[in-house]
Amino acid sequence: MTVVPRTLDLAGWSVHVPGLSAADLPGSPENPACAPGDAKEVLGRKGLLGKEPSTRLALCAVHRALGLPPGLLQEPLPYASGTAVVVASNLGNVETVCSVLTDVRGRGGSAVSPMDAPNASSNVIASTLAIRYGFTGPNLAVCSGATAGLDALSLARRLILAGRAPRAVVVGVEPADPVAVRLAALRADGPAPLAAGAGCLLLGEPGAWPGTSGVRLGAVRRTTGPVERTGPEPGDFYGAAGVIRTAVAAARGEACTVGCGDAEDGWAAVDLTVVEEATGVPA
């Protein structure tokens, strides 16, 4: 007997690549996405002091995927309780880690700024998202190389199917600061210069999120080679590629297979299907 993997509902998505709009990359905002330094345009001013660029990009992507108006939350999200957060980022806080290490070596631990210290934590992005939006479910950070984006999606799917969370916010984000760019350039199979950007996916069983899109996701699987891309990208999103490509594909509204990875880290893929909401069958 052949077991068909269960599909989950992709209730929402967003892409946030500074300088790009929906005309450039589906899933992006109508106007060009703001740079990390201008994240207040999406999030409001409060709570951004000391936040790293990758954290700001992730916050912008989540805010837009949730369909929230610009600025701070005016009331708690009704679906935040139990919601899991899974973030994929290989280089998200590497600049801060290097800076803190340099300070400690040169001047001792007292030289480290209290604003910088929390950013040296490997799960700072995921924890910041949970705190800001009140998500109380499992909180995971993935840094598994070029497949990290789809690895994060796979973990989120497992959490939901195992009953650990009713829904999940999946984020892929990478910065393009000088330290991250230099490290990314050391990859033997890096396809292009590192690009800053974030993507967000809202995953759950049908009905877990308010509303539905008709886009369903199957199980993430390992493949023996790359999946052909459906369009150009402005650079290498590295660990965020799987999430950003899935969000772009969902915004296009077409059934397809999305992949990410490289020869060093391996390859992964996931299938998107589109269903007619009236009938619940593939379009």
mmCIF file of all heavy atoms in Angstrom, residues 3-26:
data_model
loop_
_atom_site.group_PDB
_atom_site.id
_atom_site.type_symbol
_atom_site.label_atom_id
_atom_site.label_comp_id
_atom_site.label_asym_id
_atom_site.label_seq_id
_atom_site.Cartn_x
_atom_site.Cartn_y
_atom_site.Cartn_z
ATOM 1 N N VAL A 3 1.557 5.002 0.824
ATOM 2 C CA VAL A 3 1.108 6.027 1.760
ATOM 3 C C VAL A 3 1.373 7.398 1.160
ATOM 4 O O VAL A 3 2.523 7.736 0.831
ATOM 5 C CB VAL A 3 1.828 5.899 3.119
ATOM 6 C CG1 VAL A 3 1.374 7.020 4.053
ATOM 7 C CG2 VAL A 3 1.559 4.542 3.739
ATOM 8 N N VAL A 4 0.318 8.165 0.971
ATOM 9 C CA VAL A 4 0.452 9.511 0.413
ATOM 10 C C VAL A 4 0.655 10.503 1.549
ATOM 11 O O VAL A 4 -0.185 10.584 2.458
ATOM 12 C CB VAL A 4 -0.790 9.899 -0.406
ATOM 13 C CG1 VAL A 4 -0.651 11.318 -0.948
ATOM 14 C CG2 VAL A 4 -1.021 8.894 -1.537
ATOM 15 N N PRO A 5 1.770 11.242 1.559
ATOM 16 C CA PRO A 5 2.013 12.202 2.651
ATOM 17 C C PRO A 5 0.911 13.243 2.735
ATOM 18 O O PRO A 5 0.397 13.701 1.713
ATOM 19 C CB PRO A 5 3.352 12.842 2.255
ATOM 20 C CG PRO A 5 3.992 11.879 1.313
ATOM 21 C CD PRO A 5 2.867 11.229 0.582
ATOM 22 N N ARG A 6 0.507 13.587 3.944
ATOM 23 C CA ARG A 6 -0.519 14.600 4.132
ATOM 24 C C ARG A 6 -0.004 15.965 3.705
ATOM 25 O O ARG A 6 1.150 16.305 3.914
ATOM 26 C CB ARG A 6 -0.942 14.648 5.594
ATOM 27 C CG ARG A 6 -1.749 13.442 6.033
ATOM 28 C CD ARG A 6 -1.903 13.418 7.530
ATOM 29 N NE ARG A 6 -2.605 14.610 8.040
ATOM 30 C CZ ARG A 6 -2.782 14.830 9.333
ATOM 31 N NH1 ARG A 6 -2.299 13.981 10.227
ATOM 32 N NH2 ARG A 6 -3.427 15.910 9.740
ATOM 33 N N THR A 7 -0.892 16.725 3.105
ATOM 34 C CA THR A 7 -0.546 18.093 2.753
ATOM 35 C C THR A 7 -1.053 19.025 3.837
ATOM 36 O O THR A 7 -2.031 18.736 4.529
ATOM 37 C CB THR A 7 -1.168 18.508 1.405
ATOM 38 O OG1 THR A 7 -2.599 18.406 1.494
ATOM 39 C CG2 THR A 7 -0.649 17.617 0.286
ATOM 40 N N LEU A 8 -0.366 20.150 3.994
ATOM 41 C CA LEU A 8 -0.785 21.171 4.941
ATOM 42 C C LEU A 8 -1.122 22.448 4.187
ATOM 43 O O LEU A 8 -0.626 22.686 3.076
ATOM 44 C CB LEU A 8 0.322 21.436 5.961
ATOM 45 C CG LEU A 8 0.629 20.297 6.940
ATOM 46 C CD1 LEU A 8 1.729 20.718 7.906
ATOM 47 C CD2 LEU A 8 -0.617 19.874 7.709
ATOM 48 N N ASP A 9 -1.939 23.270 4.805
ATOM 49 C CA ASP A 9 -2.397 24.507 4.185
ATOM 50 C C ASP A 9 -1.348 25.602 4.345
ATOM 51 O O ASP A 9 -0.790 25.802 5.431
ATOM 52 C CB ASP A 9 -3.709 24.942 4.844
ATOM 53 C CG ASP A 9 -4.375 26.086 4.111
ATOM 54 O OD1 ASP A 9 -4.334 26.092 2.872
ATOM 55 O OD2 ASP A 9 -4.938 26.969 4.776
ATOM 56 N N LEU A 10 -1.075 26.287 3.268
ATOM 57 C CA LEU A 10 -0.213 27.469 3.318
ATOM 58 C C LEU A 10 -1.141 28.678 3.322
ATOM 59 O O LEU A 10 -1.643 29.106 2.283
ATOM 60 C CB LEU A 10 0.732 27.500 2.118
ATOM 61 C CG LEU A 10 1.854 28.526 2.136
ATOM 62 C CD1 LEU A 10 2.708 28.376 3.390
ATOM 63 C CD2 LEU A 10 2.728 28.390 0.901
ATOM 64 N N ALA A 11 -1.396 29.203 4.524
ATOM 65 C CA ALA A 11 -2.429 30.225 4.690
ATOM 66 C C ALA A 11 -1.963 31.627 4.324
ATOM 67 O O ALA A 11 -2.780 32.528 4.122
ATOM 68 C CB ALA A 11 -2.948 30.210 6.122
ATOM 69 N N GLY A 12 -0.661 31.845 4.284
ATOM 70 C CA GLY A 12 -0.147 33.174 3.967
ATOM 71 C C GLY A 12 1.338 33.123 3.720
ATOM 72 O O GLY A 12 2.012 32.144 4.055
ATOM 73 N N TRP A 13 1.860 34.181 3.135
ATOM 74 C CA TRP A 13 3.281 34.248 2.814
ATOM 75 C C TRP A 13 3.679 35.695 2.557
ATOM 76 O O TRP A 13 2.835 36.573 2.343
ATOM 77 C CB TRP A 13 3.576 33.401 1.575
ATOM 78 C CG TRP A 13 2.711 33.786 0.402
ATOM 79 C CD1 TRP A 13 2.852 34.855 -0.446
ATOM 80 C CD2 TRP A 13 1.505 33.125 -0.002
ATOM 81 N NE1 TRP A 13 1.834 34.898 -1.352
ATOM 82 C CE2 TRP A 13 0.996 33.849 -1.122
ATOM 83 C CE3 TRP A 13 0.828 31.994 0.444
ATOM 84 C CZ2 TRP A 13 -0.175 33.458 -1.770
ATOM 85 C CZ3 TRP A 13 -0.338 31.612 -0.211
ATOM 86 C CH2 TRP A 13 -0.818 32.337 -1.298
ATOM 87 N N SER A 14 4.951 35.929 2.561
ATOM 88 C CA SER A 14 5.478 37.241 2.172
ATOM 89 C C SER A 14 6.944 37.095 1.832
ATOM 90 O O SER A 14 7.626 36.167 2.275
ATOM 91 C CB SER A 14 5.304 38.281 3.291
ATOM 92 O OG SER A 14 6.196 38.005 4.356
ATOM 93 N N VAL A 15 7.424 38.030 1.021
ATOM 94 C CA VAL A 15 8.841 38.142 0.686
ATOM 95 C C VAL A 15 9.259 39.568 0.986
ATOM 96 O O VAL A 15 8.535 40.511 0.649
ATOM 97 C CB VAL A 15 9.099 37.814 -0.801
ATOM 98 C CG1 VAL A 15 10.577 37.987 -1.137
ATOM 99 C CG2 VAL A 15 8.640 36.404 -1.129
ATOM 100 N N HIS A 16 10.401 39.734 1.633
ATOM 101 C CA HIS A 16 10.893 41.075 1.956
ATOM 102 C C HIS A 16 12.376 41.159 1.601
ATOM 103 O O HIS A 16 13.240 40.777 2.390
ATOM 104 C CB HIS A 16 10.681 41.402 3.436
ATOM 105 C CG HIS A 16 10.877 42.853 3.759
ATOM 106 N ND1 HIS A 16 9.841 43.759 3.815
ATOM 107 C CD2 HIS A 16 12.007 43.561 4.023
ATOM 108 C CE1 HIS A 16 10.317 44.956 4.113
ATOM 109 N NE2 HIS A 16 11.626 44.855 4.239
ATOM 110 N N VAL A 17 12.642 41.617 0.400
ATOM 111 C CA VAL A 17 14.010 41.824 -0.082
ATOM 112 C C VAL A 17 14.186 43.319 -0.329
ATOM 113 O O VAL A 17 13.500 43.886 -1.186
ATOM 114 C CB VAL A 17 14.278 41.038 -1.380
ATOM 115 C CG1 VAL A 17 15.691 41.308 -1.886
ATOM 116 C CG2 VAL A 17 14.079 39.547 -1.149
ATOM 117 N N PRO A 18 15.032 43.995 0.438
ATOM 118 C CA PRO A 18 15.150 45.449 0.317
ATOM 119 C C PRO A 18 15.313 45.920 -1.127
ATOM 120 O O PRO A 18 16.142 45.398 -1.877
ATOM 121 C CB PRO A 18 16.402 45.759 1.144
ATOM 122 C CG PRO A 18 16.420 44.689 2.184
ATOM 123 C CD PRO A 18 15.935 43.452 1.480
ATOM 124 N N GLY A 19 14.476 46.890 -1.495
ATOM 125 C CA GLY A 19 14.545 47.484 -2.818
ATOM 126 C C GLY A 19 13.693 46.809 -3.868
ATOM 127 O O GLY A 19 13.528 47.347 -4.968
ATOM 128 N N LEU A 20 13.116 45.637 -3.566
ATOM 129 C CA LEU A 20 12.319 44.916 -4.551
ATOM 130 C C LEU A 20 10.837 44.994 -4.209
ATOM 131 O O LEU A 20 10.448 44.964 -3.041
ATOM 132 C CB LEU A 20 12.744 43.453 -4.627
ATOM 133 C CG LEU A 20 14.183 43.164 -5.057
ATOM 134 C CD1 LEU A 20 14.372 41.673 -5.307
ATOM 135 C CD2 LEU A 20 14.570 43.965 -6.292
ATOM 136 N N SER A 21 10.012 45.074 -5.251
ATOM 137 C CA SER A 21 8.563 45.122 -5.094
ATOM 138 C C SER A 21 7.945 43.890 -5.743
ATOM 139 O O SER A 21 8.651 43.035 -6.297
ATOM 140 C CB SER A 21 8.005 46.383 -5.755
ATOM 141 O OG SER A 21 8.187 46.316 -7.161
ATOM 142 N N ALA A 22 6.616 43.817 -5.712
ATOM 143 C CA ALA A 22 5.923 42.679 -6.303
ATOM 144 C C ALA A 22 6.189 42.559 -7.796
ATOM 145 O O ALA A 22 6.147 41.468 -8.362
ATOM 146 C CB ALA A 22 4.423 42.807 -6.039
ATOM 147 N N ALA A 23 6.461 43.693 -8.447
ATOM 148 C CA ALA A 23 6.770 43.651 -9.877
ATOM 149 C C ALA A 23 8.110 42.975 -10.144
ATOM 150 O O ALA A 23 8.333 42.431 -11.225
ATOM 151 C CB ALA A 23 6.777 45.070 -10.448
ATOM 152 N N ASP A 24 8.991 42.996 -9.150
ATOM 153 C CA ASP A 24 10.310 42.379 -9.292
ATOM 154 C C ASP A 24 10.324 40.928 -8.828
ATOM 155 O O ASP A 24 10.978 40.074 -9.434
ATOM 156 C CB ASP A 24 11.354 43.158 -8.480
ATOM 157 C CG ASP A 24 11.368 44.632 -8.809
ATOM 158 O OD1 ASP A 24 11.500 44.975 -9.991
ATOM 159 O OD2 ASP A 24 11.219 45.440 -7.861
ATOM 160 N N LEU A 25 9.624 40.654 -7.723
ATOM 161 C CA LEU A 25 9.642 39.338 -7.098
ATOM 162 C C LEU A 25 8.276 39.092 -6.466
ATOM 163 O O LEU A 25 7.907 39.764 -5.508
ATOM 164 C CB LEU A 25 10.738 39.290 -6.026
ATOM 165 C CG LEU A 25 11.221 37.923 -5.550
ATOM 166 C CD1 LEU A 25 11.858 37.144 -6.698
ATOM 167 C CD2 LEU A 25 12.217 38.082 -4.408
ATOM 168 N N PRO A 26 7.474 38.158 -7.017
ATOM 169 C CA PRO A 26 6.141 37.907 -6.457
ATOM 170 C C PRO A 26 6.196 37.618 -4.965
ATOM 171 O O PRO A 26 7.120 36.973 -4.471
ATOM 172 C CB PRO A 26 5.674 36.672 -7.246
ATOM 173 C CG PRO A 26 6.410 36.752 -8.543
ATOM 174 C CD PRO A 26 7.766 37.314 -8.192
#
